[in-house]
Each structure stands twice: as structure tokens, then as C-alpha cells.
Amino acid sequence: MTSQYRVNYHLRAHKRDHLVEFIKGMLLTPFVLHAQPQPQPPPLLHDDHAAEPRMRRPSDERAQEANAQRYAEIFASIEELIDEHRALHADGIAAYSRLAKLVPSIGTFFTPLPLRQAFGRVNLRERISARKHVPPSFNDIRRILNIAQVIAIAPQLRMVTFDGDMTLYADGQNFEHDNALTDLLVSLLRRRIAVAIVTAAGYGDDAARYEMRLSGLLKGFARAGLRADEVARFFVLGGECNFLFGCSASYRL
């Protein structure tokens, strides 16, 4: 059954992110070029002096590699614009950056964004540069920006926060025991990274009701055998930041 949250989300008008829209526009050129059909040469080249016929690499494969390079160069250029904007912001003249002129509503970047590296990672899975019918979407670009942010902060990361509904589990549901995210959250705690779930669910100071919603995760901590000092880095902040719970060595809030 569709939740009221989903219905309201799709009916509501949303603001456009001007930086994402700018990047989408930049990426249209390689997409349009790659969308055009490539002439296909014969698969074999016969050489009278060769013992066996030589295979020619398909032109489509070469075109995909070339297009991936075009995308990567665009992200590298945007990365350079961001670095310049950050440098000028440090000098108090961010309005004079090229990025500020191209995207007047641009805000402050607190870290570098290795966009070329992030694109390479996302492209291996999503095959963005190989598409011929679906251009890079808002979600594609947001994912690349998010990965770039994670890469940038990873060396100094000390805490990660998550929403509950629609992030760690379905809207209005509980964190189930077979949730694939359990092992990932356990690995963060073992790496001395604090993990906090920040939720608007308001049960006052009734820890048992939060435990019920997160029972699958807490049982996962027990199965993994997390030490007391490791589970002590797990927190739940509920009731719109009004109630803070820690986790005890008995895996209870």
C-alpha cells in the first residue's frame, strides 16, 4: 500500500538544485554524441600473412570508452571550478569565482569534491557513459556528488547519522533482522565511527518503543558480538531531536 508520505511527495512541487541542473546541462553533450549510431565494421580482419584472422575491437566498445573519458573530463572541470570557488571563498571574494557566475545561487563547499573519482566508481555500476536513450538524471548526479563527499570526508570521519523511515527501513516499518545494512553499520562501529539514527518518531522517553522499531538492528549487534565500547558508539535521537538514547552492553537502549 502506498504511504501518505509517498503520495504527498509526488504531489508536491520541488525546488530545483541549480548546481545539479548545471551539471546535467554539461553532461548532455557527451550523451547526445554517444546516442548517435556508430557504423559497425566487420568483426574479422583477414591478414594473408597471419596464421589466424585477427579480431577487431567493436567500435561500440571504443565509443563507450571515449565517452566515459568525455564524462570524466567534464567532472574534472567542475571539480576545478569548485576548488577555485573554495579558494576565493577563503579570501572573501567567492562572488568572483567562475562557478558563482555560472550558478549564482551556489553556496559554500566545506570540503573538496573529487567528482572525477566518484564518477568512475558510479559509472562502473550504473554504466552512465554507455547509455544511449536515458541521459544522466538528477539521481545519477546526486549519487555522484554524495560519493564524492564521502570520499572527501572518509579520512577524518568520526560520526555518521541516518534518518530511519525511508532510509534504513520502509516508511512506518521496523528495521528487520535480515536487513542488509546491519553488517555495514556493525563495520562502522568496529572502525570507531559513531552511528546515530535521527528520527522524528516521537515516543517520549519510552526506550522500549524505539527498541521495537530497531529490534532487527539491535539483534544484529548481538549476533556480531559487538563489545561494550563498540555499542557505546551507537545512539538514537528521537522525537525531532528531543530524546537521546545510548546503547548498553546488553544491546538495549
Side-chain angles (χ1 to χ4, degrees):
M1 181 177 178
T2 303
S3 70
Q4 191 64 35
Y5 176 91
R6 287 177 179 268
V7 172
N8 290 339
Y9 182 87
H10 289 293
L11 291 179
R12 232 179 12 242
H14 297 279
K15 291 183 179 179
R16 291 180 177 271
D17 186 294
H18 294 157
L19 176 61
V20 172
E21 294 299 322
F22 168 70
I23 296 175
K24 281 178 63 177
M26 295 287 290
L27 297 179
L28 278 179
T29 297
F31 171 76
V32 171
L33 291 175
H34 184 60
Q36 300 304 312
Q38 297 282 337
Q40 296 296 322
L44 296 176
L45 287 176
H46 295 279
D47 189 338
D48 296 336
H49 301 288
E52 297 181 356
R54 293 181 288 110
M55 291 294 296
R56 172 181 289 175
R57 293 181 65 197
S59 62
D60 193 56
E61 183 181 341
R62 293 197 302 270
Q64 288 183 21
E65 292 178 358
N67 206 47
Q69 182 63 27
R70 294 189 193 102
Y71 277 100
E73 289 172 355
I74 289 172
F75 278 109
S77 297
I78 297 171
E79 187 177 332
E80 180 182 335
L81 290 175
I82 292 173
D83 289 342
E84 176 193 81
H85 183 78
R86 293 183 69 241
L88 293 177
H89 182 271
D91 294 334
I93 50 174
Y96 291 93
S97 74
R98 288 177 293 170
L99 186 59
K101 291 180 172 59
L102 293 166
V103 187
S105 63
I106 200 69
T108 302
F109 295 89
F110 298 99
T111 68
L113 288 180
L115 293 174
R116 181 169 187 157
Q117 182 182 354
F119 165 74
R121 292 193 181 189
V122 174
N123 192 50
L124 286 175
R125 178 176 178 178
E126 306 294 339
R127 305 287 292 171
I128 295 173
S129 64
R131 298 177 190 169
K132 292 189 175 182
H133 303 288
V134 180
S137 67
F138 173 90
N139 286 337
D140 290 324
I141 297 169
R142 183 174 63 175
R143 186 177 297 111
I144 292 168
L145 289 169
N146 288 342
I147 294 296
Q149 185 68 83
V150 170
I151 294 172
I153 66 175
Q156 295 84 33
L157 187 62
R158 293 295 177 268
M159 184 176 189
V160 179
T161 64
F162 299 95
D163 189 11
D165 294 272
M166 304 294 292
T167 301
L168 295 181
Y169 42 82
D171 186 35
Q173 302 302 309
N174 298 335
F175 195 109
E176 301 296 341
H177 70 279
D178 57 350
N179 193 316
L181 294 174
T182 300
D183 291 340
L184 297 175
L185 297 176
V186 166
S187 68
L188 289 174
L189 294 171
R190 283 177 168 162
R191 287 173 169 80
R192 300 179 181 277
I193 297 174
V195 174
I197 297 179
V198 182
T199 174
Y203 307 125
D205 58 356
D206 187 355
R209 297 192 66 182
Y210 290 100
E211 287 178 357
M212 181 183 68
R213 298 290 306 275
L214 301 170
S215 58
L217 179 59
L218 296 174
K219 290 177 181 177
F221 292 168
R223 288 195 305 270
L226 289 180
R227 302 190 310 267
D229 63 307
E230 292 171 335
V231 293
R233 287 190 282 271
F234 177 73
F235 304 92
V236 176
L237 188 59
E240 298 183 349
C241 301
N242 284 304
F243 302 94
L244 177 64
F245 302 89
C247 189
S248 68
S250 59
Y251 312 108
R252 299 289 302 274
L253 297 180

